[in-house]
Amino acid sequence: MIRVLIADDQPLVRRGLALILAPDPGIEVVGEAPDGAEAVALAQRLLPDVVVMDIRMPVLDGVAATGRLAEVQPRSRVLALSTFDMDEYVVAALRAGAYGFLPKDVSPEELITAVRTVHTGEAVVAPRLLTRLISTYVRSAPREPRPAPAAPAGLTPREVEIWRLLARGLDNAGIAADLDISVSTVKNHITALFGKLGVRDRAQAVIAAYESGLVQAERRGG
């Protein structure tokens, strides 16, 4: 049974999410929070496996709440919800420790699948969507200099190649086809890559690729 806490400042949204998740026999909605501070407090008391977290909330927003949960209750994995016009906040949530994010207009089936995926420790971010979000953030938001990812010099040429393709939005099958290797080999390289970069998942690896300068945000005309 996957224990889920829902955090959203709109009661109607909280109730709607609960009505979607509760009927699933493998999911139990254990609580609802109207703001980020209450979400952190409830998570420490109820010990949910997954916290479905709205990004924009009063008292403590979803990004700050995600960061706090990563410190005090790391076993509660955050699935952030946002709208497409808030790209920079979604990237901030991933940096803070969220295991993924979804737009609020996803289907019930997609939400349930995402909760199950996050529960396993995998990231729930469509590769091309993630690339678009990060590209938008890098183009539009000035950022302070950040240190390069941990030990990038230790990467093999093949790992760098896979990192670049991953950051461009290819999934494992696409990377395998591009490099003419098996999907299982790609998975093995990605596991090694994550360890050397010191990142947890695909989302953080893509962010690291942009921040390190391995790939550049594409500029659109007009």
mmCIF file of all heavy atoms in Angstrom, residues 163-206:
data_model
loop_
_atom_site.group_PDB
_atom_site.id
_atom_site.type_symbol
_atom_site.label_atom_id
_atom_site.label_comp_id
_atom_site.label_asym_id
_atom_site.label_seq_id
_atom_site.Cartn_x
_atom_site.Cartn_y
_atom_site.Cartn_z
ATOM 1 N N TRP A 163 25.306 11.137 -21.545
ATOM 2 C CA TRP A 163 24.824 12.278 -20.763
ATOM 3 C C TRP A 163 24.285 13.365 -21.680
ATOM 4 O O TRP A 163 23.229 13.936 -21.441
ATOM 5 C CB TRP A 163 25.975 12.807 -19.915
ATOM 6 C CG TRP A 163 25.612 13.839 -18.896
ATOM 7 C CD1 TRP A 163 24.386 14.114 -18.381
ATOM 8 C CD2 TRP A 163 26.527 14.737 -18.246
ATOM 9 N NE1 TRP A 163 24.457 15.125 -17.456
ATOM 10 C CE2 TRP A 163 25.762 15.525 -17.352
ATOM 11 C CE3 TRP A 163 27.901 14.943 -18.339
ATOM 12 C CZ2 TRP A 163 26.336 16.508 -16.555
ATOM 13 C CZ3 TRP A 163 28.478 15.918 -17.542
ATOM 14 C CH2 TRP A 163 27.703 16.695 -16.658
ATOM 15 N N ARG A 164 24.999 13.636 -22.777
ATOM 16 C CA ARG A 164 24.568 14.664 -23.713
ATOM 17 C C ARG A 164 23.240 14.277 -24.383
ATOM 18 O O ARG A 164 22.331 15.101 -24.507
ATOM 19 C CB ARG A 164 25.643 14.900 -24.772
ATOM 20 C CG ARG A 164 25.289 16.012 -25.759
ATOM 21 C CD ARG A 164 26.399 16.262 -26.763
ATOM 22 N NE ARG A 164 27.575 16.877 -26.142
ATOM 23 C CZ ARG A 164 28.718 16.263 -25.916
ATOM 24 N NH1 ARG A 164 28.863 14.987 -26.248
ATOM 25 N NH2 ARG A 164 29.733 16.891 -25.354
ATOM 26 N N LEU A 165 23.115 13.028 -24.794
ATOM 27 C CA LEU A 165 21.875 12.581 -25.427
ATOM 28 C C LEU A 165 20.713 12.589 -24.435
ATOM 29 O O LEU A 165 19.584 12.959 -24.771
ATOM 30 C CB LEU A 165 22.066 11.175 -26.008
ATOM 31 C CG LEU A 165 23.025 11.076 -27.200
ATOM 32 C CD1 LEU A 165 23.242 9.621 -27.577
ATOM 33 C CD2 LEU A 165 22.490 11.871 -28.388
ATOM 34 N N LEU A 166 20.989 12.184 -23.203
ATOM 35 C CA LEU A 166 19.970 12.210 -22.158
ATOM 36 C C LEU A 166 19.466 13.638 -21.952
ATOM 37 O O LEU A 166 18.270 13.889 -21.842
ATOM 38 C CB LEU A 166 20.568 11.630 -20.868
ATOM 39 C CG LEU A 166 19.702 11.459 -19.633
ATOM 40 C CD1 LEU A 166 20.283 10.336 -18.772
ATOM 41 C CD2 LEU A 166 19.660 12.747 -18.813
ATOM 42 N N ALA A 167 20.403 14.572 -21.913
ATOM 43 C CA ALA A 167 20.045 15.974 -21.702
ATOM 44 C C ALA A 167 19.293 16.556 -22.882
ATOM 45 O O ALA A 167 18.540 17.523 -22.728
ATOM 46 C CB ALA A 167 21.302 16.806 -21.422
ATOM 47 N N ARG A 168 19.487 15.996 -24.064
ATOM 48 C CA ARG A 168 18.763 16.456 -25.255
ATOM 49 C C ARG A 168 17.345 15.918 -25.307
ATOM 50 O O ARG A 168 16.563 16.299 -26.179
ATOM 51 C CB ARG A 168 19.514 16.038 -26.520
ATOM 52 C CG ARG A 168 20.832 16.755 -26.745
ATOM 53 C CD ARG A 168 20.619 18.239 -26.951
ATOM 54 N NE ARG A 168 21.869 18.924 -27.303
ATOM 55 C CZ ARG A 168 21.993 20.233 -27.352
ATOM 56 N NH1 ARG A 168 20.967 21.006 -27.069
ATOM 57 N NH2 ARG A 168 23.146 20.782 -27.671
ATOM 58 N N GLY A 169 16.991 15.026 -24.383
ATOM 59 C CA GLY A 169 15.610 14.560 -24.306
ATOM 60 C C GLY A 169 15.372 13.148 -24.780
ATOM 61 O O GLY A 169 14.223 12.705 -24.845
ATOM 62 N N LEU A 170 16.421 12.385 -25.099
ATOM 63 C CA LEU A 170 16.230 11.014 -25.550
ATOM 64 C C LEU A 170 15.977 10.094 -24.356
ATOM 65 O O LEU A 170 16.617 10.242 -23.304
ATOM 66 C CB LEU A 170 17.446 10.516 -26.332
ATOM 67 C CG LEU A 170 17.482 10.835 -27.829
ATOM 68 C CD1 LEU A 170 17.652 12.338 -28.049
ATOM 69 C CD2 LEU A 170 18.600 10.069 -28.520
ATOM 70 N N ASP A 171 15.059 9.148 -24.531
ATOM 71 C CA ASP A 171 14.877 8.128 -23.507
ATOM 72 C C ASP A 171 15.893 7.016 -23.746
ATOM 73 O O ASP A 171 16.722 7.080 -24.662
ATOM 74 C CB ASP A 171 13.444 7.595 -23.497
ATOM 75 C CG ASP A 171 13.030 6.993 -24.842
ATOM 76 O OD1 ASP A 171 13.914 6.717 -25.686
ATOM 77 O OD2 ASP A 171 11.823 6.791 -25.032
ATOM 78 N N ASN A 172 15.859 5.965 -22.907
ATOM 79 C CA ASN A 172 16.866 4.917 -23.016
ATOM 80 C C ASN A 172 16.847 4.238 -24.382
ATOM 81 O O ASN A 172 17.896 3.933 -24.951
ATOM 82 C CB ASN A 172 16.668 3.875 -21.912
ATOM 83 C CG ASN A 172 17.048 4.415 -20.546
ATOM 84 O OD1 ASN A 172 17.547 5.535 -20.430
ATOM 85 N ND2 ASN A 172 16.817 3.643 -19.509
ATOM 86 N N ALA A 173 15.641 4.003 -24.889
ATOM 87 C CA ALA A 173 15.530 3.353 -26.193
ATOM 88 C C ALA A 173 16.101 4.243 -27.292
ATOM 89 O O ALA A 173 16.776 3.769 -28.212
ATOM 90 C CB ALA A 173 14.071 3.003 -26.486
ATOM 91 N N GLY A 174 15.844 5.547 -27.204
ATOM 92 C CA GLY A 174 16.372 6.479 -28.199
ATOM 93 C C GLY A 174 17.883 6.569 -28.156
ATOM 94 O O GLY A 174 18.547 6.636 -29.198
ATOM 95 N N ILE A 175 18.445 6.566 -26.946
ATOM 96 C CA ILE A 175 19.902 6.596 -26.803
ATOM 97 C C ILE A 175 20.507 5.322 -27.382
ATOM 98 O O ILE A 175 21.513 5.357 -28.091
ATOM 99 C CB ILE A 175 20.299 6.761 -25.320
ATOM 100 C CG1 ILE A 175 19.851 8.136 -24.789
ATOM 101 C CG2 ILE A 175 21.807 6.593 -25.143
ATOM 102 C CD1 ILE A 175 20.036 8.309 -23.303
ATOM 103 N N ALA A 176 19.879 4.179 -27.077
ATOM 104 C CA ALA A 176 20.374 2.905 -27.582
ATOM 105 C C ALA A 176 20.382 2.879 -29.108
ATOM 106 O O ALA A 176 21.349 2.430 -29.738
ATOM 107 C CB ALA A 176 19.524 1.762 -27.032
ATOM 108 N N ALA A 177 19.302 3.393 -29.711
ATOM 109 C CA ALA A 177 19.219 3.414 -31.171
ATOM 110 C C ALA A 177 20.263 4.354 -31.764
ATOM 111 O O ALA A 177 20.891 4.039 -32.779
ATOM 112 C CB ALA A 177 17.809 3.832 -31.603
ATOM 113 N N ASP A 178 20.454 5.505 -31.127
ATOM 114 C CA ASP A 178 21.414 6.489 -31.647
ATOM 115 C C ASP A 178 22.837 5.954 -31.605
ATOM 116 O O ASP A 178 23.637 6.211 -32.513
ATOM 117 C CB ASP A 178 21.305 7.778 -30.837
ATOM 118 C CG ASP A 178 22.068 8.934 -31.465
ATOM 119 O OD1 ASP A 178 23.273 9.073 -31.164
ATOM 120 O OD2 ASP A 178 21.470 9.675 -32.255
ATOM 121 N N LEU A 179 23.167 5.216 -30.548
ATOM 122 C CA LEU A 179 24.534 4.730 -30.368
ATOM 123 C C LEU A 179 24.713 3.292 -30.843
ATOM 124 O O LEU A 179 25.825 2.751 -30.764
ATOM 125 C CB LEU A 179 24.932 4.838 -28.887
ATOM 126 C CG LEU A 179 24.931 6.243 -28.280
ATOM 127 C CD1 LEU A 179 25.314 6.187 -26.808
ATOM 128 C CD2 LEU A 179 25.877 7.154 -29.046
ATOM 129 N N ASP A 180 23.615 2.685 -31.279
ATOM 130 C CA ASP A 180 23.657 1.297 -31.756
ATOM 131 C C ASP A 180 24.170 0.344 -30.676
ATOM 132 O O ASP A 180 25.057 -0.487 -30.906
ATOM 133 C CB ASP A 180 24.518 1.179 -33.017
ATOM 134 C CG ASP A 180 24.295 -0.145 -33.760
ATOM 135 O OD1 ASP A 180 23.210 -0.740 -33.579
ATOM 136 O OD2 ASP A 180 25.201 -0.580 -34.499
ATOM 137 N N ILE A 181 23.613 0.499 -29.479
ATOM 138 C CA ILE A 181 23.913 -0.404 -28.369
ATOM 139 C C ILE A 181 22.600 -0.855 -27.761
ATOM 140 O O ILE A 181 21.530 -0.345 -28.103
ATOM 141 C CB ILE A 181 24.803 0.277 -27.297
ATOM 142 C CG1 ILE A 181 24.116 1.540 -26.758
ATOM 143 C CG2 ILE A 181 26.176 0.619 -27.869
ATOM 144 C CD1 ILE A 181 24.910 2.244 -25.662
ATOM 145 N N SER A 182 22.648 -1.803 -26.842
ATOM 146 C CA SER A 182 21.418 -2.324 -26.248
ATOM 147 C C SER A 182 20.886 -1.391 -25.165
ATOM 148 O O SER A 182 21.645 -0.602 -24.582
ATOM 149 C CB SER A 182 21.671 -3.709 -25.639
ATOM 150 O OG SER A 182 22.505 -3.599 -24.496
ATOM 151 N N VAL A 183 19.590 -1.489 -24.893
ATOM 152 C CA VAL A 183 18.979 -0.683 -23.835
ATOM 153 C C VAL A 183 19.595 -1.029 -22.480
ATOM 154 O O VAL A 183 19.820 -0.146 -21.640
ATOM 155 C CB VAL A 183 17.455 -0.887 -23.811
ATOM 156 C CG1 VAL A 183 16.834 -0.201 -22.593
ATOM 157 C CG2 VAL A 183 16.818 -0.346 -25.090
ATOM 158 N N SER A 184 19.881 -2.304 -22.250
ATOM 159 C CA SER A 184 20.481 -2.701 -20.968
ATOM 160 C C SER A 184 21.864 -2.077 -20.797
ATOM 161 O O SER A 184 22.244 -1.685 -19.682
ATOM 162 C CB SER A 184 20.568 -4.227 -20.873
ATOM 163 O OG SER A 184 21.393 -4.748 -21.900
ATOM 164 N N THR A 185 22.614 -1.948 -21.894
ATOM 165 C CA THR A 185 23.924 -1.294 -21.815
ATOM 166 C C THR A 185 23.764 0.187 -21.487
ATOM 167 O O THR A 185 24.533 0.745 -20.693
ATOM 168 C CB THR A 185 24.685 -1.457 -23.149
ATOM 169 O OG1 THR A 185 24.897 -2.849 -23.395
ATOM 170 C CG2 THR A 185 26.034 -0.747 -23.100
ATOM 171 N N VAL A 186 22.761 0.816 -22.087
ATOM 172 C CA VAL A 186 22.478 2.220 -21.775
ATOM 173 C C VAL A 186 22.166 2.370 -20.289
ATOM 174 O O VAL A 186 22.675 3.273 -19.616
ATOM 175 C CB VAL A 186 21.306 2.741 -22.625
ATOM 176 C CG1 VAL A 186 20.885 4.139 -22.142
ATOM 177 C CG2 VAL A 186 21.687 2.803 -24.097
ATOM 178 N N LYS A 187 21.332 1.484 -19.762
ATOM 179 C CA LYS A 187 20.971 1.553 -18.344
ATOM 180 C C LYS A 187 22.206 1.427 -17.459
ATOM 181 O O LYS A 187 22.343 2.138 -16.455
ATOM 182 C CB LYS A 187 19.956 0.455 -18.007
ATOM 183 C CG LYS A 187 18.583 0.680 -18.612
ATOM 184 C CD LYS A 187 17.643 -0.461 -18.234
ATOM 185 C CE LYS A 187 16.255 -0.249 -18.824
ATOM 186 N NZ LYS A 187 15.339 -1.377 -18.512
ATOM 187 N N ASN A 188 23.099 0.526 -17.817
ATOM 188 C CA ASN A 188 24.319 0.351 -17.021
ATOM 189 C C ASN A 188 25.183 1.617 -17.050
ATOM 190 O O ASN A 188 25.728 2.035 -16.026
ATOM 191 C CB ASN A 188 25.125 -0.836 -17.553
ATOM 192 C CG ASN A 188 24.452 -2.172 -17.273
ATOM 193 O OD1 ASN A 188 23.633 -2.281 -16.372
ATOM 194 N ND2 ASN A 188 24.793 -3.186 -18.060
ATOM 195 N N HIS A 189 25.300 2.225 -18.230
ATOM 196 C CA HIS A 189 26.081 3.461 -18.343
ATOM 197 C C HIS A 189 25.436 4.584 -17.535
ATOM 198 O O HIS A 189 26.135 5.381 -16.891
ATOM 199 C CB HIS A 189 26.201 3.883 -19.804
ATOM 200 C CG HIS A 189 27.247 3.137 -20.574
ATOM 201 N ND1 HIS A 189 28.573 3.104 -20.189
ATOM 202 C CD2 HIS A 189 27.170 2.399 -21.712
ATOM 203 C CE1 HIS A 189 29.272 2.382 -21.056
ATOM 204 N NE2 HIS A 189 28.443 1.941 -21.986
ATOM 205 N N ILE A 190 24.108 4.669 -17.579
ATOM 206 C CA ILE A 190 23.419 5.735 -16.855
ATOM 207 C C ILE A 190 23.580 5.560 -15.348
ATOM 208 O O ILE A 190 23.769 6.536 -14.607
ATOM 209 C CB ILE A 190 21.927 5.777 -17.259
ATOM 210 C CG1 ILE A 190 21.795 6.337 -18.685
ATOM 211 C CG2 ILE A 190 21.118 6.618 -16.271
ATOM 212 C CD1 ILE A 190 20.383 6.370 -19.208
ATOM 213 N N THR A 191 23.528 4.325 -14.875
ATOM 214 C CA THR A 191 23.756 4.072 -13.452
ATOM 215 C C THR A 191 25.138 4.554 -13.030
ATOM 216 O O THR A 191 25.297 5.227 -11.995
ATOM 217 C CB THR A 191 23.615 2.578 -13.142
ATOM 218 O OG1 THR A 191 22.279 2.147 -13.442
ATOM 219 C CG2 THR A 191 23.901 2.297 -11.668
ATOM 220 N N ALA A 192 26.140 4.235 -13.837
ATOM 221 C CA ALA A 192 27.501 4.688 -13.536
ATOM 222 C C ALA A 192 27.599 6.206 -13.622
ATOM 223 O O ALA A 192 28.256 6.852 -12.795
ATOM 224 C CB ALA A 192 28.486 4.025 -14.501
ATOM 225 N N LEU A 193 26.939 6.781 -14.614
ATOM 226 C CA LEU A 193 26.945 8.229 -14.807
ATOM 227 C C LEU A 193 26.361 8.945 -13.602
ATOM 228 O O LEU A 193 26.943 9.918 -13.091
ATOM 229 C CB LEU A 193 26.157 8.574 -16.073
ATOM 230 C CG LEU A 193 25.953 10.049 -16.416
ATOM 231 C CD1 LEU A 193 27.295 10.697 -16.736
ATOM 232 C CD2 LEU A 193 24.990 10.189 -17.591
ATOM 233 N N PHE A 194 25.211 8.487 -13.121
ATOM 234 C CA PHE A 194 24.570 9.109 -11.963
ATOM 235 C C PHE A 194 25.501 9.079 -10.752
ATOM 236 O O PHE A 194 25.603 10.052 -10.002
ATOM 237 C CB PHE A 194 23.264 8.393 -11.621
ATOM 238 C CG PHE A 194 22.138 8.673 -12.571
ATOM 239 C CD1 PHE A 194 22.303 9.495 -13.680
ATOM 240 C CD2 PHE A 194 20.888 8.103 -12.366
ATOM 241 C CE1 PHE A 194 21.267 9.745 -14.563
ATOM 242 C CE2 PHE A 194 19.835 8.353 -13.240
ATOM 243 C CZ PHE A 194 20.027 9.171 -14.333
ATOM 244 N N GLY A 195 26.177 7.941 -10.565
ATOM 245 C CA GLY A 195 27.081 7.831 -9.425
ATOM 246 C C GLY A 195 28.234 8.814 -9.504
ATOM 247 O O GLY A 195 28.603 9.440 -8.514
ATOM 248 N N LYS A 196 28.794 8.978 -10.692
ATOM 249 C CA LYS A 196 29.935 9.881 -10.851
ATOM 250 C C LYS A 196 29.524 11.349 -10.753
ATOM 251 O O LYS A 196 30.300 12.191 -10.289
ATOM 252 C CB LYS A 196 30.619 9.618 -12.192
ATOM 253 C CG LYS A 196 31.333 8.276 -12.256
ATOM 254 C CD LYS A 196 31.989 8.047 -13.603
ATOM 255 C CE LYS A 196 32.700 6.707 -13.659
ATOM 256 N NZ LYS A 196 33.361 6.476 -14.970
ATOM 257 N N LEU A 197 28.311 11.662 -11.211
ATOM 258 C CA LEU A 197 27.841 13.046 -11.142
ATOM 259 C C LEU A 197 27.309 13.403 -9.758
ATOM 260 O O LEU A 197 27.152 14.571 -9.434
ATOM 261 C CB LEU A 197 26.736 13.286 -12.172
ATOM 262 C CG LEU A 197 27.125 13.211 -13.652
ATOM 263 C CD1 LEU A 197 25.881 13.380 -14.525
ATOM 264 C CD2 LEU A 197 28.164 14.265 -13.992
ATOM 265 N N GLY A 198 26.996 12.389 -8.971
ATOM 266 C CA GLY A 198 26.406 12.645 -7.667
ATOM 267 C C GLY A 198 24.972 13.107 -7.759
ATOM 268 O O GLY A 198 24.500 13.899 -6.936
ATOM 269 N N VAL A 199 24.244 12.603 -8.776
ATOM 270 C CA VAL A 199 22.842 12.963 -8.936
ATOM 271 C C VAL A 199 21.973 11.747 -8.643
ATOM 272 O O VAL A 199 22.425 10.601 -8.720
ATOM 273 C CB VAL A 199 22.540 13.504 -10.350
ATOM 274 C CG1 VAL A 199 23.377 14.737 -10.636
ATOM 275 C CG2 VAL A 199 22.781 12.438 -11.418
ATOM 276 N N ARG A 200 20.712 12.012 -8.332
ATOM 277 C CA ARG A 200 19.813 10.952 -7.921
ATOM 278 C C ARG A 200 19.061 10.330 -9.075
ATOM 279 O O ARG A 200 18.752 9.146 -9.066
ATOM 280 C CB ARG A 200 18.807 11.524 -6.906
ATOM 281 C CG ARG A 200 17.876 10.513 -6.286
ATOM 282 C CD ARG A 200 16.729 11.206 -5.570
ATOM 283 N NE ARG A 200 15.924 11.974 -6.516
ATOM 284 C CZ ARG A 200 15.411 13.164 -6.243
ATOM 285 N NH1 ARG A 200 15.647 13.718 -5.091
ATOM 286 N NH2 ARG A 200 14.682 13.794 -7.137
ATOM 287 N N ASP A 201 18.746 11.149 -10.088
ATOM 288 C CA ASP A 201 17.879 10.643 -11.138
ATOM 289 C C ASP A 201 18.079 11.420 -12.429
ATOM 290 O O ASP A 201 18.936 12.308 -12.528
ATOM 291 C CB ASP A 201 16.402 10.696 -10.700
ATOM 292 C CG ASP A 201 15.983 12.084 -10.240
ATOM 293 O OD1 ASP A 201 16.435 13.076 -10.836
ATOM 294 O OD2 ASP A 201 15.194 12.191 -9.283
ATOM 295 N N ARG A 202 17.278 11.082 -13.424
ATOM 296 C CA ARG A 202 17.374 11.676 -14.755
ATOM 297 C C ARG A 202 17.163 13.191 -14.714
ATOM 298 O O ARG A 202 17.848 13.949 -15.402
ATOM 299 C CB ARG A 202 16.311 11.021 -15.640
ATOM 300 C CG ARG A 202 16.637 10.978 -17.109
ATOM 301 C CD ARG A 202 15.546 10.208 -17.852
ATOM 302 N NE ARG A 202 15.938 9.954 -19.207
ATOM 303 C CZ ARG A 202 16.548 8.856 -19.618
ATOM 304 N NH1 ARG A 202 16.834 7.905 -18.744
ATOM 305 N NH2 ARG A 202 16.877 8.701 -20.885
ATOM 306 N N ALA A 203 16.208 13.629 -13.922
ATOM 307 C CA ALA A 203 15.911 15.057 -13.839
ATOM 308 C C ALA A 203 17.131 15.844 -13.383
ATOM 309 O O ALA A 203 17.508 16.854 -13.988
ATOM 310 C CB ALA A 203 14.740 15.290 -12.879
ATOM 311 N N GLN A 204 17.770 15.392 -12.320
ATOM 312 C CA GLN A 204 18.937 16.100 -11.816
ATOM 313 C C GLN A 204 20.115 16.000 -12.783
ATOM 314 O O GLN A 204 20.922 16.926 -12.888
ATOM 315 C CB GLN A 204 19.316 15.555 -10.434
ATOM 316 C CG GLN A 204 18.281 15.867 -9.370
ATOM 317 C CD GLN A 204 18.726 15.460 -7.976
ATOM 318 O OE1 GLN A 204 19.733 14.777 -7.808
ATOM 319 N NE2 GLN A 204 17.981 15.863 -6.974
ATOM 320 N N ALA A 205 20.223 14.890 -13.519
ATOM 321 C CA ALA A 205 21.295 14.746 -14.501
ATOM 322 C C ALA A 205 21.144 15.756 -15.631
ATOM 323 O O ALA A 205 22.132 16.315 -16.117
ATOM 324 C CB ALA A 205 21.312 13.326 -15.064
ATOM 325 N N VAL A 206 19.909 16.010 -16.060
ATOM 326 C CA VAL A 206 19.679 16.983 -17.124
ATOM 327 C C VAL A 206 20.002 18.391 -16.635
ATOM 328 O O VAL A 206 20.633 19.188 -17.339
ATOM 329 C CB VAL A 206 18.233 16.900 -17.647
ATOM 330 C CG1 VAL A 206 17.968 17.989 -18.670
ATOM 331 C CG2 VAL A 206 17.974 15.534 -18.271
#
